[in-house]
Amino acid sequence: MDVSNRRIVILGKTGAGKSSLANTIFGEKLFHIDHSFSSGTSECKAETRSVNGRSLTLIDTPGFFDTDRSEEDLKPEIVRCITECAPGPHAFLIVLKVEKFTEHEQAVIKEINQCFSEEVFKYAAVLFTHGDQLPEGQKIKDFLRKNTFLSDLVKKCGSRCHVVDNKYWNEKPKDEYRSNPFQVEELLNTIDKMVMENKGSCYTNEMLQVVEEEIEQEEELIRQSSGNMSEKEIREQAKDRVATKLSVRLAGIGTGVLLGALCGVLVLGGLVVVVLQRVETIKSIATAAKIAATKFGLAGAAAAAGGEAAIGAAAAGGEAAIGAAAAGGEAAAGAAAGGAISVTTVIAGSAAVGAVIGGFTGYHAAEGADTPWEAAERTAGTLKDGAFSVIDNANQFLDKMFNPK
C-alpha cells in the first residue's frame, strides 16, 4: 500500500465535532477542544501523524459554513487552509452531527452543495459524529434514508459515509460497528480507495497550484540562508510567509469567493487567480501613470499619484479602491499634451482595475440572486472577463510607453 502522506481537510460548522474527530483519528489530543457553547476552532491548524501505517496530515478548520462568523474572522483562516493543503488535499471530510435536522442544518447542507463543485465531490466523504445518538442496532445509512438532504449530499460524495462517537465509542464494545478504531480504519480504507479511483492524485485547481508555486519559491529563498533548518521547518516557514502575502493581496475579496476558489467553483477560483498572478502588473499600471505625468510634463501628476494610491489600495484588496481610483481618473481627465501619451489613459486603466478588484467585495449585491453563492457567480462571471481585458490592455500600454519603436 502507498504510504505517502495524505492531506485531509476537515470541514463543517462550529460544534459539529471537527477537532474531536481529528483527535479520534490520531488517537491523541493534538487539537484543542473548547466546550463552551459559542466557541470552536478559531484558527486553521494542521498536524501530521502516522495512523495504521499511513502518514496523515489533518487540517482542522474554523466553521467556514457558520452563518454568524464575520468575514474578518474567516478570511485569513481560509487563506491559511489554502496554504496548508497546497497543492491540494487528497480528501475533504464534511462533518455533520447525528441529530434531528432543522431548517438550520438543511441550510448548511444547501450551502455545502452550492460551495462544492462536482469535481470536488469526487474527493469528499461525509463523516457523522455523535454516533451514540443512533438507535440501538441502527447504522448510519439507515439514518440517511430518513432525510432527502443528507441522502443527496452523500450520493454526491460517491456514497462515502462513516460515523464515529468521539465520547462513547472509545471502549471495546459488544457491537464492532460502534467502535471508533473500527470506524477510523473503515474511513481510512475509504480514503485509500478514493485516492486509487482518482489515480493517486490529490484534488487541485489553478489557484492551489499558484499557491504551491509561491511556497516552493519561498522554500528556495529560505534554503539559501537557512543554515541548519530541516525541510519540514523550511516548508512551515515558507507557508507562513505565503499565507501572510496572500492575506494582504486577497484582503478585499469576500469569504464566499475565497471558499469557492478552494472548493473548485471555476469562476470564483478564476477571480482569485487574477489577483494572485497579476497583482504586480496591477501595481505597475499606477506607477506608470506617475512616471508618464513626469516624463511628458502633463498637468495630471498629482492625479496620477492619486491613481497610484488608489491602485495600491486595490491591489491590497481595499474596499475603498473603487472610489479612490474613480476620483483619480476624474481628476486626470483632459490632462494631455499634443502628440504625447495621455495620462488619462493610464489612470482610466487604473480606475478600471481598481473597480474590478474592489468590486470583488460587492459580489453579494448582485440583483436577482437568491443566495450569496448565486450572487457571487453572477458578479464574478462579468468581473473575471473584465479583469483580464483591462490588465491585458494595460500590459500593452506599458510596453508601448517604455519600449517605443
Side-chain angles (χ1 to χ4, degrees):
M1 183 182 64
D2 182 11
V3 293
S4 60
N5 184 260
R6 303 275 198 253
R7 292 179 296 278
I8 302 171
V9 176
I10 303 175
L11 298 170
K13 68 174 186 177
T14 297
K18 300 186 301 294
S19 300
S20 295
L21 169 64
N23 290 337
T24 294
I25 293 173
F26 278 154
E28 54 181 311
K29 294 181 179 180
L30 297 174
F31 295 87
H32 175 70
I33 302 167
D34 194 321
H35 296 288
S36 63
F37 289 107
S38 60
S39 63
T41 296
S42 60
E43 297 180 353
C44 185
K45 181 181 179 182
E47 293 286 352
T48 301
R49 293 292 187 276
S50 178
V51 180
N52 299 353
R54 304 165 178 87
S55 176
L56 305 178
T57 295
L58 299 182
I59 301 159
D60 186 21
T61 63
F64 290 163
F65 302 111
D66 291 358
T67 56
D68 58 348
R69 294 291 298 273
S70 70
E71 289 206 351
E72 288 70 24
D73 288 341
L74 287 180
K75 279 190 289 191
E77 298 312 318
I78 297 174
V79 170
R80 169 58 67 181
C81 180
I82 289 168
T83 56
E84 287 291 353
C85 72
H90 294 89
F92 291 93
L93 294 184
I94 301 171
V95 180
L96 301 168
K97 292 168 66 174
V98 173
E99 61 184 356
K100 182 177 180 180
F101 271 65
T102 65
E103 289 184 2
H104 177 70
E105 278 70 40
Q106 292 177 357
V108 169
I109 293 173
K110 283 183 178 179
E111 191 168 349
I112 291 171
N113 275 313
Q114 291 167 346
C115 172
F116 277 44
S117 69
E118 293 302 315
E119 181 69 18
V120 176
F121 281 118
K122 296 178 184 177
Y123 297 82
V126 180
L127 193 293
F128 287 90
T129 59
H130 296 75
D132 204 53
Q133 297 299 311
L134 288 174
E136 192 72 31
Q138 190 179 91
K139 295 188 177 181
I140 193 62
K141 291 190 177 179
D142 300 322
F143 174 75
L144 291 177
R145 295 192 188 101
K146 301 177 181 179
N147 190 290
T148 303
F149 287 92
L150 289 177
S151 298
D152 289 346
L153 176 63
V154 171
K155 197 173 296 181
K156 283 190 174 185
C157 296
S159 298
R160 291 179 289 269
C161 177
H162 295 277
V163 60
V164 299
D165 190 290
N166 299 312
K167 185 175 182 181
Y168 296 109
W169 288 8
N170 295 314
E171 302 298 326
K172 190 172 182 179
K174 297 178 182 178
D175 180 2
E176 183 182 46
Y177 186 85
R178 292 173 175 254
S179 160
N180 284 335
F182 172 80
Q183 290 291 345
V184 167
E185 180 61 22
E186 290 289 293
L187 171 64
L188 298 183
N189 287 338
T190 292
I191 293 173
D192 288 341
K193 182 180 178 181
M194 185 167 61
V195 171
M196 289 178 62
E197 290 173 351
N198 292 320
K199 300 179 180 178
S201 66
C202 63
Y203 167 76
T204 192
N205 57 38
E206 188 179 4
M207 185 269 297
L208 287 166
Q209 291 167 12
V210 169
V211 171
E212 177 62 20
E213 289 170 6
E214 294 215 10
I215 292 173
E216 290 175 357
Q217 291 170 9
E218 288 293 339
E219 285 179 322
E220 188 57 35
L221 292 174
I222 295 169
R223 284 191 191 96
Q224 294 173 8
S225 58
S226 64
N228 297 321
M229 288 178 66
S230 67
E231 284 299 308
K232 181 180 178 181
E233 291 171 331
I234 291 172
R235 177 76 179 182
E236 290 303 314
Q237 190 173 116
K239 288 192 295 188
D240 287 341
R241 289 185 183 182
V242 171
T244 300
K245 287 182 181 179
L246 297 186
S247 292
V248 172
R249 290 186 195 175
L250 304 177
I253 293 179
T255 57
V257 176
L258 282 176
L259 195 54
L262 170 64
C263 296
V265 181
L266 295 179
V267 175
L268 305 186
L271 282 175
V272 178
V273 173
V274 167
V275 180
L276 293 183
Q277 292 184 325
R278 304 296 188 97
V279 68
E280 295 305 322
T281 301
I282 292 167
K283 290 178 181 177
S284 72
I285 296 170
T287 302
K290 188 174 182 180
I291 294 172
T294 304
K295 182 174 181 179
F296 298 109
L298 301 178
E308 180 181 25
I311 262 319
E319 293 187 23
I322 299 175
E330 183 180 352
I341 299 174
S342 170
V343 75
T344 307
T345 307
V346 184
I347 295 297
S350 298
V353 175
V356 168
I357 296 178
F360 294 166
T361 61
Y363 72 93
H364 56 277
E367 294 182 3
D370 294 327
T371 67
W373 286 103
E374 183 183 351
E377 289 193 285
R378 287 188 183 193
T379 306
T382 302
L383 290 181
K384 184 185 177 184
D385 292 339
F388 278 123
S389 175
V390 169
I391 293 171
D392 287 341
N393 289 338
N395 278 327
Q396 294 174 25
F397 179 81
L398 293 177
D399 288 340
K400 289 179 182 178
M401 177 184 290
F402 296 108
N403 300 294
K405 293 184 179 179

